[in-house]
């Protein structure tokens, strides 16, 4: 499995019952605290492995750091945060690479394993599948609001907690139950990643805006203009791919395209397995279990957003 369906990770078969799953993710600081930055970066990088239904095993640190501008203690805290989250996931960090860079950057290259016949892709969705989201949206506007001094301390703490949660529990739940497709919600926002899933699966999608969970202050921050370049580009890209109910306000439309960091999984599950999936997610204390819509027969990749 490579790049043809814009899936979350590459898969290389070693034998009839073993395949490697590989991904990499690196980004600039999303929060001010260096330890939390490391935690979130690691959780974000591991998410691509979990979205495929795989088990992460090994990781390599990837670091850019301005050694003449920041003390090395800051780098140490970043690496400690990443190591702590990797240890929680049962992943060994076995080295890495660093460069002198004017802007801090941190992430992981991750390798996991899976049975070749148990891979969960973003291309297996079927008409009639229910769409289940496992984390609330709004991370992008909240972190932008932090940089602009608009986000309250309580809202920032909630967003950091959500970003720090591994998608391991959600992944284990969907593997246990058996689902048709999955992707994690990151830089392209909910609608961007849903478009990729629907297009790769040869179906269309319908979601209800009122069913989609949002983090506290997300709407108010969007109204205050806490919108970075990523969500604006996502919204523009989706213009000819999404139809909105005219009652849906502009802030909600932007939030549906809001770029997420360490967002949740978007799972397409057959309706007759939905109750079992809900139960499996609840047993693992997944933070949000929201039935946000369904896949339908229709133009591949087309999305309708209702109230």
């Amino acid at each position: 499995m490579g790049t043809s369906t814009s899936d979350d990770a590459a898969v290389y078969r070693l034998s009839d019952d073993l395949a490697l799953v590989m991904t990499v993710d690196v980004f600039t600081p999303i929060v001010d605290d260096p330890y939390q930055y490391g935690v979130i970066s690691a959780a974000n990088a591991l998410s691509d492995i979990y979205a495929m239904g795989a088990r992460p095993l090994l990781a390599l640190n990837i670091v850019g750091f301005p050694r003449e501008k920041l003390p090395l203690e800051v780098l140490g805290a970043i690496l400690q945060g990443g190591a702590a989250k990797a240890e929680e996931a049962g992943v060994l960090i076995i080295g890495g690479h660093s460069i002198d860079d004017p802007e801090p950057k941190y992430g992981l290259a991750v390798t996991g394993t899976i049975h070749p016949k148990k891979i969960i892709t973003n291309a297996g969705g079927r008409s009639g599948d229910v769409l289940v989201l496992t984390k609330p949206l709004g991370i992008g506007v909240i972190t932008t609001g932090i940089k602009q001094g608009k986000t309250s301390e309580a809202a920032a703490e909630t967003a950091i907690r959500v970003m720090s949660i591994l998608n391991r529990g959600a992944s284990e739940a969907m593997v246990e139950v058996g689902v048709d497709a999955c992707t994690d919600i990151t830089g392209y926002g909910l609608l961007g990643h849903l478009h990729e899933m629907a297009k790769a699966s040869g179906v269309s999608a319908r979601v209800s805006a009122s069913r989609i969970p949002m983090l506290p202050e997300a709407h108010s921050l969007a109204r205050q203009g806490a919108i970075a370049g990523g969500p604006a580009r996502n919204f523009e890209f989706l213009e000819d791919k999404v139809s909105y109910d005219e009652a849906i306000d502009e802030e909600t439309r932007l939030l549906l395209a809001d770029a997420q960091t360490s967002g949740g999984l978007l799972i397409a599950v057959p309706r007759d397995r939905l109750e079992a999936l809900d139960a499996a997610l609840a047993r693992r204390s997944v933070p949000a279990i929201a039935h946000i819509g369904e896949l339908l027969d229709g133009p591949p990749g087309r999305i309708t957003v209702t109230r």
Side-chain angles (χ1 to χ4, degrees), residues 109-134:
V110 189
T111 299
T113 58
I114 196 169
H115 192 290
K117 293 183 179 180
K118 296 182 179 180
I119 302 166
I120 300 173
T121 77
N122 71 352
R126 300 178 183 178
S127 179
D129 283 351
V130 178
L131 295 169
V132 178
L133 183 64
T134 67

Side-chain angles (χ1 to χ4, degrees), residues 63-125:
V63 175
F65 192 76
R67 61 178 184 171
E68 300 298 329
K69 297 180 180 179
L70 293 174
L72 284 178
E73 288 79 8
V74 172
L75 176 57
I78 294 169
L79 296 178
Q80 286 171 357
K85 187 52 62 171
E87 182 178 6
E88 179 186 337
V91 171
L92 295 175
I93 295 181
I94 54 172
H97 186 72
S98 62
I99 59 171
D100 189 5
D101 194 320
E103 186 175 25
K105 298 175 179 68
Y106 176 63
L108 298 176
V110 189
T111 299
T113 58
I114 196 169
H115 192 290
K117 293 183 179 180
K118 296 182 179 180
I119 302 166
I120 300 173
T121 77
N122 71 352

Side-chain angles (χ1 to χ4, degrees), residues 1 5 8 19 58-59 64 90 95 126 139 141 149 151 225 264 275 277:
M1 182 164 298
T5 60
D8 292 297
L58 303 172
R126 300 178 183 178
I139 289 169
V141 296
T151 303
E275 185 176 346
L277 179 61

Side-chain angles (χ1 to χ4, degrees), residues 150-173:
K150 298 175 180 177
T151 303
S152 72
E153 184 176 343
E157 289 176 355
T158 298
I160 289 170
R161 179 181 58 80
V162 169
M163 287 188 285
S164 301
I165 296 171
L166 291 171
N167 280 322
R168 178 176 59 185
S171 179
E172 291 173 349

Side-chain angles (χ1 to χ4, degrees), residues 217-235:
E217 297 187 19
H219 274 94
S220 63
L221 287 166
R223 283 194 297 272
Q224 294 175 58
I227 305 294
R233 288 188 293 271
N234 290 344
F235 186 75

Side-chain angles (χ1 to χ4, degrees), residues 86-291:
E87 182 178 6
E88 179 186 337
V91 171
L92 295 175
I93 295 181
I94 54 172
H97 186 72
S98 62
I99 59 171
D100 189 5
D101 194 320
E103 186 175 25
K105 298 175 179 68
Y106 176 63
L108 298 176
V110 189
T111 299
T113 58
I114 196 169
H115 192 290
K117 293 183 179 180
K118 296 182 179 180
I119 302 166
I120 300 173
T121 77
N122 71 352
R126 300 178 183 178
S127 179
D129 283 351
V130 178
L131 295 169
V132 178
L133 183 64
T134 67
K135 285 187 183 182
L137 302 184
I139 289 169
V141 296
I142 287 173
T143 54
T144 300
I146 291 172
K147 296 174 184 177
Q148 296 177 353
K150 298 175 180 177
T151 303
S152 72
E153 184 176 343
E157 289 176 355
T158 298
I160 289 170
R161 179 181 58 80
V162 169
M163 287 188 285
S164 301
I165 296 171
L166 291 171
N167 280 322
R168 178 176 59 185
S171 179
E172 291 173 349
M174 71 176 184
V175 170
E176 174 188 316
V177 172
V179 303
D180 286 335
C182 180
T183 186
D184 67 332
I185 307 303
T186 50
Y188 295 136
L190 172 65
L191 293 185
H193 288 286
L194 175 56
H195 165 71
E196 289 183 336
M197 175 189 283
K199 183 178 179 180
S201 299
V203 296
S204 64
R206 180 173 61 213
V207 296
S208 171
S210 62
R211 297 182 185 177
I212 297 170
M214 300 285 180
L215 287 166
E217 297 187 19
H219 274 94
S220 63
L221 287 166
R223 283 194 297 272
Q224 294 175 58
I227 305 294
R233 288 188 293 271
N234 290 344
F235 186 75
E236 182 180 357
F237 169 77
L238 292 163
E239 185 174 4
D240 62 347
K241 302 169 180 65
V242 182
S243 300
Y244 301 91
D245 185 295
E246 61 181 15
I248 297 173
D249 59 55
E250 182 180 358
E251 290 81 17
T252 298
R253 298 184 189 200
L254 286 167
L255 286 168
L256 297 181
D258 186 38
Q260 305 297 282
T261 298
S262 192
L265 299 186
L266 178 64
I267 303 168
V269 58
R271 193 169 294 276
D272 61 0
R273 298 183 185 179
L274 179 60
E275 185 176 346
L277 179 61
D278 285 347
L281 291 168
R283 285 196 302 272
R284 292 168 173 86
S285 300
V286 171
I289 307 170
H291 306 162

